[in-house]
Amino acid sequence: MSFFTDTRRIIKIGFVNFWREGVVSAATVLVMITTLFVIGSIIFAKASLDSTLTQIEDKVDITVYFKPGVLENDILSIRQELLNLEGEVKEAVYVSQEDSLERFKQRHENNSLITQSLLELEENPLGAEINIKAKNPSQYEGIANFLKNSQDNSEVIDKINYFQNKIVIEKLTKIIDSFRALGFGVSLILVIIAVIVMFNTIRISIYFSREEISIMRLVGATNSYVRGPFIIEGAMSGIFASIITIALFYPFLLWVNPIAQNAFLGINIFEYYVNNILQIFAILLVIGVFLGTTSSYIAVRKYLKV
Amino acid sequence: MIYFDKVSKIYSKNSIAIDEISFTIEPQEFISLVGQSGAGKTTLLKLLLAEEAPTGGKVFFESVNIHSISRGKLTEVRRKIGVVFQDFRLLPNKTVFENIAFAMEAAGKKDEDIRNDVPQVMDLVGLEDKGWRFPRELSGGERQRVAIARAIVNQPDLIIADEPTGNLDPLNTWEIINILKKVNELGTTIILATHNKGIIDSLNRRVITLEGGRITRDDKEGRYIL
């Protein structure tokens, strides 16, 4: 007896059974599609939630206002200190006194009163600024305290707007974190439900074959020879289901995309789908084949005890 | 060839299926096992196939205690035993040819041998032209022939037939028995469990009579006596 002959026969029997069991195979594939659709939807939901949250995070920053007349070199050295805080500061943009005035003018160009009063001033009333973006919103407090507590800085820094916006930033950070946790929790529950439903469907379909399994054992087939075709069938359900699922996402996302883009600030999920179609298909395929084969393996084991 | 050594099978206190049975079967014998329903015939055959484990005693097949060997070895033993059931037990999703070929495939026989041997046994049981049918498309008699073909295709040392004619009309019954006789003449030991008085009386071979889990008669050229 050779391993290759056995493997070839097992694969052939698996294929033939898959077609002949028609309705049962179709039902299994259908449930598998549901499972994979849930998992795929979670992938897309996570992608759009992530990008939405990242965009919100990106809108948070703090600005350090320097007193007018502080030397540019001093400010740049503070900026350098900030950038040295590795793992915390993502970027620190220096805005010189002149630029800051320029921006101020632009922002208020329609307000004649402000423009007039600026013209009457001889000196630039505004100080230079540094705009700081942290890698994570929770780090803003640390950065702000770092600047405030440094002795040399207290003479040059006018104010740090973090302390005005503290409450808002903290709240936003909490909301973002809890959204991430919630997303993870909901996904986990959905995946568990989908996997249980999948497993039970395969178990029921194999339950109908329990007679056959005992006959095959009595005719002198080894356990692996009996189990093999069922595992092939499980793998085939996974392959078919993942192909159909990835195809179903095309019309589905086309329909859902405009709605989702209104609801989230996030990305265009349809584009995300088109750009990542191979990776997403690979994920669904691996999950489908894995679920199909392991469920079959476990389900057949029960009837192999003869 | 087969030796039952004080074998008991007790399901519960009130249900003793087999009670300390001992007997020997020689190669190439044709043995009929008779007894009323519940006398223990089927249990005895299940013990011989190691489908069930005995409560006490030992069952030897070709000097091997089949209840103390590994599952791998048990599979090898089963390939030397062909089984025919009252309810046929064919694989419903396989054609006649595939059902018979399955026993050979499972035993790891070569494709060449399968292509040669399967049509031969189909001839032997009279199913030459039914190879592509599914079991559901066959009559009871035809199904039982498939089961016999599957049982003999690996040229087993022993064939166990548990009420093989129980679901068949008289004509088919005789044809099945004739096939079994032919197989026996070719050198295979046969154990036939049956209710059918006519068969037993006409066979004129060894008959073991079971009653309440015990052997009450064991006649060399027996008749059906209950």
Side-chain angles (χ1 to χ4, degrees):
Chain A
M1 183 190 328
S2 86
F3 174 75
F4 288 107
T5 315
D6 274 0
T7 311
R8 182 172 51 79
R9 283 174 183 167
I10 284 172
I11 292 173
K12 192 185 151 205
I13 296 174
F15 266 83
V16 170
N17 284 356
F18 188 83
W19 291 120
R20 288 200 186 145
E21 282 164 13
V23 181
V24 176
S25 303
T28 313
V29 170
L30 206 65
V31 175
M32 182 90 87
I33 290 172
T34 320
T35 308
L36 293 181
F37 200 85
V38 169
I39 292 170
S41 305
I42 287 170
I43 294 174
F44 292 120
K46 185 176 163 8
S48 57
L49 185 68
D50 271 354
S51 82
T52 306
L53 295 182
T54 311
Q55 284 196 23
I56 292 173
E57 273 177 5
D58 221 41
K59 291 203 158 82
V60 180
D61 63 2
I62 56 175
T63 306
V64 187
Y65 297 96
F66 292 91
K67 291 175 180 161
V70 175
L71 289 177
E72 187 170 90
N73 271 348
D74 290 346
I75 298 171
L76 286 177
S77 79
I78 290 174
R79 177 173 175 267
Q80 197 50 50
E81 277 177 50
L82 282 168
L83 289 174
N84 286 345
L85 294 173
E86 282 204 30
E88 293 194 23
V89 175
K90 192 159 84 181
E91 61 180 49
V93 179
Y94 169 64
V95 182
S96 69
Q97 245 180 310
E98 292 76 34
D99 290 344
S100 137
L101 181 65
E102 210 43 53
R103 282 194 196 179
F104 186 81
K105 279 183 185 163
Q106 262 176 26
R107 212 181 303 156
H108 299 284
E109 62 188 348
N110 297 329
N111 188 327
S112 55
L113 184 66
I114 290 177
T115 349
Q116 281 299 316
S117 14
L118 271 177
L119 282 175
E120 277 174 35
L121 284 172
E122 286 173 11
E123 275 179 51
N124 181 350
L126 298 170
E129 305 165 18
I130 297 180
N131 279 307
I132 303 165
K133 278 196 174 140
K135 293 205 164 124
N136 186 311
S138 62
Q139 289 162 336
Y140 282 116
E141 176 144 36
I143 295 169
N145 283 332
F146 168 79
L147 289 168
K148 196 179 150 202
N149 294 339
S150 177
Q151 274 297 323
D152 311 336
N153 293 348
S154 58
E155 286 166 22
V156 291
I157 291 177
D158 183 20
K159 63 181 185 190
I160 303 170
N161 77 346
Y162 171 76
F163 296 102
Q164 281 102 46
N165 300 339
K166 194 176 172 192
I167 297 166
V168 179
I169 292 178
E170 274 177 355
K171 238 191 185 142
L172 199 60
T173 310
K174 265 187 198 156
I175 291 172
I176 290 173
D177 283 348
S178 51
F179 254 104
R180 289 227 156 96
L182 189 74
F184 180 75
V186 170
S187 316
L188 198 68
I189 291 168
L190 282 176
V191 168
I192 289 172
I193 293 173
V195 167
I196 289 175
V197 170
M198 178 71 248
F199 175 63
N200 277 311
T201 311
I202 290 200
R203 239 177 46 171
I204 290 168
S205 80
I206 287 177
Y207 173 82
F208 287 115
S209 305
R210 66 195 187 286
E211 273 282 291
E212 283 181 73
I213 292 172
S214 73
I215 296 168
M216 291 191 252
R217 279 292 295 159
L218 290 176
V219 169
T222 58
N223 277 355
S224 48
Y225 197 79
V226 174
R227 185 187 279 141
F230 287 101
I231 290 175
I232 299 292
E233 284 180 63
M236 286 181 70
S237 307
I239 293 167
F240 279 111
S242 54
I243 292 171
I244 297 171
T245 309
I246 197 80
L248 278 179
F249 270 117
Y250 187 93
F252 177 71
L253 290 178
L254 207 56
W255 170 67
V256 97
N257 194 35
I259 306 167
Q261 272 192 308
N262 283 339
F264 299 104
L265 309 161
I267 46 158
N268 182 327
I269 31 175
F270 184 72
E271 257 173 32
Y272 178 82
Y273 161 78
V274 172
N275 292 334
N276 296 287
I277 191 158
L278 282 179
Q279 286 100 307
I280 296 167
F281 176 64
I283 293 172
L284 295 182
L285 184 70
V286 169
I287 294 176
V289 170
F290 175 78
L291 282 181
T293 50
T294 41
S295 317
S296 300
Y297 183 92
I298 296 168
V300 174
R301 197 174 54 178
K302 193 176 164 193
Y303 303 109
L304 275 177
K305 287 181 184 141
V306 184
Chain B
M1 181 184 181
I2 295 160
Y3 176 45
F4 273 65
D5 183 17
K6 289 184 185 157
V7 178
S8 301
K9 178 71 189 181
I10 301 165
Y11 289 107
S12 72
K13 250 186 184 175
N14 302 321
S15 155
I16 299 168
I18 300 283
D19 192 7
E20 291 206 359
I21 279 185
S22 298
F23 65 93
T24 309
I25 296 173
E26 300 299 333
Q28 300 184 23
E29 274 194 282
F30 191 130
I31 292 186
S32 302
L33 209 55
V34 302
Q36 290 170 331
S37 296
K41 301 190 296 288
T42 300
T43 308
L44 199 75
L45 298 179
K46 279 186 174 167
L47 291 169
L48 185 49
L49 277 169
E51 229 182 306
E52 290 195 19
T55 318
K58 291 169 189 157
V59 180
F60 294 92
F61 179 80
E62 292 175 346
S63 312
V64 179
N65 180 345
I66 56 166
H67 294 287
S68 67
I69 55 177
S70 68
R71 294 184 70 78
K73 287 260 182 290
L74 180 60
T75 304
E76 279 172 33
V77 168
R78 279 178 177 162
R79 285 178 192 157
K80 295 181 190 167
I81 305 177
V83 199
V84 181
F85 303 94
Q86 178 175 3
D87 53 358
F88 321 128
R89 300 224 200 151
L90 300 174
L91 300 168
N93 283 320
K94 292 189 193 302
T95 63
V96 168
F97 186 96
E98 288 167 342
N99 260 285
I100 302 168
F102 183 83
M104 292 187 81
E105 289 172 6
K109 298 279 169 67
K110 286 190 208 136
D111 289 351
E112 229 183 294
D113 296 341
I114 294 176
R115 277 195 297 272
N116 277 327
D117 295 0
V118 175
Q120 274 180 31
V121 293
M122 279 171 42
D123 274 357
L124 184 73
V125 299
L127 286 170
E128 303 76 4
D129 49 352
K130 302 264 161 84
W132 292 104
R133 301 275 184 95
F134 285 94
R136 60 176 174 274
E137 299 164 348
L138 301 177
S139 72
E142 287 169 331
R143 286 183 207 182
Q144 197 57 294
R145 286 169 214 228
V146 179
I148 292 178
R150 180 180 65 186
I152 62 178
V153 75
N154 277 330
Q155 288 147 351
D157 300 337
L158 168 71
I159 288 190
I160 296 175
D162 187 8
E163 308 262 13
T165 59
N167 285 341
L168 304 181
D169 61 57
L171 190 69
N172 275 303
T173 298
W174 283 111
E175 280 177 3
I176 294 294
I177 295 301
N178 282 331
I179 293 170
L180 289 176
K181 274 162 89 175
K182 216 190 301 179
V183 173
N184 177 245
E185 278 157 21
L186 295 170
T188 307
T189 312
I190 294 191
I191 302 179
L192 169 71
T194 185
H195 282 304
N196 193 314
K197 187 175 186 315
I199 294 174
I200 306 290
D201 292 348
S202 79
L203 276 173
N204 212 21
R205 307 292 278 270
R206 182 176 167 194
V207 176
I208 294 178
T209 310
L210 284 175
E211 231 181 290
R214 290 173 169 277
I215 295 180
T216 52
R217 299 179 72 99
D218 186 349
D219 306 310
K220 260 261 169 288
E221 290 181 359
R223 312 203 122 249
Y224 189 88
I225 305 165
L226 271 180

